[in-house]
Amino acid sequence: MSGTASRILLGLLAGGAVCAPAHADRPEFGAFLNLDQIAESQLHGPGADDVTYTEVSGVLTARISNRRIVASGTYHLSYRIPEMGDVDKSFNQDGLMRLQANVIDEWLTLETGALVTRSRVDASGAAPQFNIGNPQNLTQTYSAFVQPTLIHRIGDLGLGLSYRYAYTQNETTDNLPATGPINDRFDSSKAQQVTANIGMEPGSLPFGWKISSEYRHENTTNLDEHFRAFNVIGEVRVPLAGAPVALVASGGYERTRTSERSALVDPITGLPVRGKGGRFVVDPASPRLLTYEVEGLIANAGVIWRPSRRTRMEARVGRRYGDLSVTGLIEMRPSERSGLTLIVTDRVESFGQGVSNGLAGAPPMLDVNQVDPSSSYQQCLFGKTSGTGQCIASSLGQASANSYRERAANIIFTRTMRTWTFSGGLGYARRTYIDNPNSLFSLDGVVDQSFFSNISIGRPLSRTSGVSFSFTGNLFKNGQVGASDVMSGSFSTNYYRSFGRGIQMQASVAVDGSKQDGMTADVSGRARLGLQYRF
């Protein structure tokens, strides 16, 4: 992890401690020490390498909730000790933190967040479901943001102004294997976003209205890429008398631009020169090239249905980015034990913006027990409230250095029955890449699609034991010529039993499988046995 990323994450954690009141309402803190033995054996596919290793890890968790502060977080650090097979000594990190502070009542709030996970590097490379052994095609990813927001009401008039600064970085790893076509790999980006709005709810007038504006500014180190977007939008919402339905329409002006410089090309091989981590080197003599520009009027119309305070549905259809645009939202909270959120989005963004936007959109009170350090990367950030959260699997599943237009749909759900708890996330994303069309290695217009699923069901067997079953799967359909489609999945069974107040035994068995076009399917079995001590 770079010094810059370290300072950002430490600053966010320290800021949360400073903002916390002296007398918090029953804050919860936890510290755990884990000792695990892992064995993996290949059941089908090339090679026949059996692997065993020991993993020692420490976990910290925290949760604070009171009138001033809502915060939650976890951090996991592990070290692997090889015993047999092709596995290296290595450190691994996983962490998640969100904080919301009410600094000045009815005026100023402050939000921060940090994420430590992994991301998949090459689009046509391996797609491991779990971070075990020597996982291929994964690199450590860090993201953090800070966002102060001014919100105030003057009579019926509401005013809002916010600023967000976000930093996202992928760790440099030189030994990542490159497969398929030559693509650049994401390095780091700094993103800023300013939003302002003014409006009124229905009441004084028979309709509600809002005028909002947003400016997004991102600089990415890859090929010195710049992203700029600005819009001004007016919206009118008209409730229908006698029905929990409102008609909504909006329109305005938007301009989105991206630019970059050219990659340095080796005159002998004709291939781009690569630097650390396989990233393209910028040609110092190249001018800045405009790679994308859409400017003009945008508009949409739709309907909002809210039959109760626990249910909200919204659908909109319009024109944006010079094309048809469809967005939607479904939020259902039938009880404290059940919930569902479905989000349909259409947005031009980048890897850095996708990760940081997902982190900022996650609720401040997270379910830190859903952060799985053994997974390849965090697919969804689950909220403590049933059925809430944000999915970031489409971003972390392909750490592209290029900007893109992404149309996506994600669903998070939780259902707690008498003894069983059923939860998970599902998602689909369609990316259309933006690039210099005159480059020999251009991704301009290339369309990728990805699907993911993450489903688990579990129940307690007694006061001291429980069992769960989970399935995770991914399908990456690559549109670039010469790139292979990749499919992977895993099914696991987990069991735990507690002894006394501080010791817990954990055991799991799993079957993992993956398939790339033109290659033999790879299937392996995995077993884990461990002890956890809670301080």
Side-chain angles (χ1 to χ4, degrees):
M1 183 176 183
S2 73
T4 303
S6 300
R7 288 191 294 271
I8 289 176
L9 294 180
L10 290 173
L12 289 176
L13 293 171
V18 170
C19 290
H23 301 285
D25 297 341
R26 299 180 62 86
E28 299 177 11
F29 301 98
F32 307 85
L33 179 64
N34 299 322
L35 180 63
D36 295 281
Q37 180 69 35
I38 297 98
E40 183 181 12
S41 179
Q42 192 158 25
L43 306 177
H44 181 271
D49 187 27
D50 294 336
V51 170
T52 62
Y53 61 93
T54 298
E55 185 171 275
V56 181
S57 60
V59 184
L60 298 175
T61 63
R63 189 178 73 158
I64 302 172
S65 179
N66 56 61
R67 190 176 67 87
R68 287 288 184 186
I69 297 287
V70 178
S72 57
T74 182
Y75 179 74
H76 182 280
L77 178 64
S78 64
Y79 179 67
R80 290 176 182 165
I81 305 171
E83 295 174 355
M84 183 182 72
D86 183 18
V87 59
D88 300 327
K89 294 180 181 180
S90 62
F91 283 98
N92 287 274
Q93 301 180 77
D94 288 87
L96 176 62
M97 186 275 288
R98 281 285 280 112
L99 179 146
Q100 183 181 73
N102 182 19
V103 181
I104 303 175
D105 288 339
E106 300 181 356
W107 274 99
L108 177 63
T109 62
L110 176 68
E111 294 197 47
T112 66
L115 174 68
V116 182
T117 183
R118 285 158 297 279
S119 58
R120 184 169 167 268
V121 180
D122 287 320
S124 57
Q129 291 296 310
F130 285 89
N131 176 34
I132 57 174
N134 291 334
Q136 299 296 310
N137 203 28
L138 295 178
T139 189
Q140 197 84 55
T141 299
Y142 309 94
S143 185
F145 82 94
V146 59
Q147 179 175 331
T149 301
L150 288 169
I151 300 177
H152 191 63
R153 297 197 66 84
I154 303 175
D156 294 330
L157 189 67
L159 306 171
L161 176 66
S162 71
Y163 168 79
R164 182 194 302 164
Y165 177 86
Y167 178 77
T168 303
Q169 177 184 327
N170 271 3
E171 208 167 68
T172 297
T173 306
D174 292 319
N175 60 356
L176 292 173
T179 59
I182 297 175
N183 292 320
D184 200 1
R185 293 168 174 168
F186 178 83
D187 181 22
S188 66
S189 71
K190 299 175 182 178
Q192 302 178 71
Q193 178 178 309
V194 179
T195 60
N197 62 79
I198 181 173
M200 296 175 62
E201 294 293 322
S204 301
L205 298 174
F207 59 88
W209 62 271
K210 182 173 70 173
I211 299 175
S212 62
S213 181
E214 177 186 73
Y215 175 70
R216 288 187 288 156
H217 173 118
E218 182 185 41
N219 290 342
T220 303
T221 52
N222 296 87
L223 300 184
D224 194 19
E225 182 179 334
H226 289 179
F227 179 103
R228 308 288 187 265
F230 171 77
N231 64 44
V232 178
I233 299 173
E235 178 180 290
V236 175
R237 178 158 50 97
V238 182
L240 298 184
V245 177
L247 302 180
V248 60
S250 66
Y253 166 84
E254 183 172 55
R255 181 182 184 182
T256 304
R257 302 180 65 184
T258 64
S259 63
E260 64 183 36
R261 298 169 67 186
S262 299
L264 183 65
V265 177
D266 189 316
I268 299 177
T269 64
L271 300 176
V273 176
R274 289 181 178 267
K276 290 184 178 180
R279 299 176 177 105
F280 292 176
V281 175
V282 176
D283 184 349
S286 64
R288 177 164 296 280
L289 303 171
L290 185 67
T291 55
Y292 180 81
E293 182 175 30
V294 173
E295 180 180 11
L297 300 179
I298 60 174
N300 68 47
V303 60
I304 300 174
W305 180 50
R306 191 156 193 169
S308 71
R309 62 185 181 85
R310 294 183 175 272
T311 302
R312 173 187 172 90
M313 299 184 184
E314 181 176 341
R316 301 190 186 208
V317 179
R319 184 171 179 81
R320 191 179 188 187
Y321 306 122
D323 197 2
L324 177 70
S325 178
V326 178
T327 59
L329 171 69
I330 297 177
E331 293 178 333
M332 300 178 66
R333 311 281 181 269
S335 70
E336 293 183 356
R337 300 163 63 88
S338 302
L340 177 149
T341 300
L342 169 66
I343 303 175
V344 179
T345 58
D346 183 0
R347 193 173 174 92
V348 172
E349 60 181 13
S350 63
F351 173 78
Q353 292 183 64
V355 176
S356 60
N357 287 343
L359 177 61
M365 186 51 66
L366 296 162
D367 186 356
V368 296
N369 294 324
Q370 295 273 15
V371 177
D372 182 7
S374 65
S375 65
S376 54
Y377 49 84
Q378 298 303 319
Q379 294 184 328
C380 296
L381 310 178
F382 291 88
K384 193 68 175 177
T385 302
S386 297
T388 61
Q390 282 280 329
C391 290
I392 52 176
S394 62
S395 296
L396 296 175
Q398 171 49 40
S400 173
N402 295 88
S403 298
Y404 47 82
R405 179 183 179 184
E406 181 177 84
R407 283 166 275 198
N410 295 289
I411 182 171
I412 285 180
F413 55 89
T414 302
R415 168 66 171 160
T416 301
M417 295 166 278
R418 186 173 181 179
T419 55
W420 292 91
T421 297
F422 181 55
S423 64
L426 303 169
Y428 165 77
R430 176 188 172 91
R431 287 184 180 181
T432 303
Y433 285 99
I434 297 168
D435 202 355
N436 175 14
N438 299 318
S439 169
L440 295 175
F441 314 100
S442 176
L443 289 178
D444 191 56
V446 170
V447 176
D448 282 355
Q449 299 180 79
S450 64
F451 304 81
F452 85 90
S453 63
N454 180 0
I455 300 171
S456 66
I457 183 170
R459 59 162 296 173
L461 299 176
S462 68
R463 294 180 62 185
T464 59
S465 64
V467 65
S468 65
F469 307 91
S470 62
F471 170 79
T472 61
N474 292 92
L475 173 61
F476 300 96
K477 298 184 68 66
N478 296 298
Q480 190 176 10
V481 176
S484 62
D485 295 343
V486 184
M487 178 173 56
S488 63
S490 177
F491 177 80
S492 63
T493 302
N494 309 278
Y495 172 80
Y496 73 87
R497 182 176 179 85
S498 299
F499 301 92
R501 299 185 62 181
I503 298 177
Q504 185 178 93
M505 183 272 290
Q506 301 168 338
S508 67
V509 293
V511 176
D512 309 326
S514 63
K515 178 70 170 69
Q516 294 177 243
D517 286 349
M519 300 180 66
T520 304
D522 191 349
V523 181
S524 61
R526 174 168 44 87
R528 176 189 291 258
L529 180 64
L531 286 176
Q532 180 184 84
Y533 178 74
R534 177 169 186 168
F535 293 92

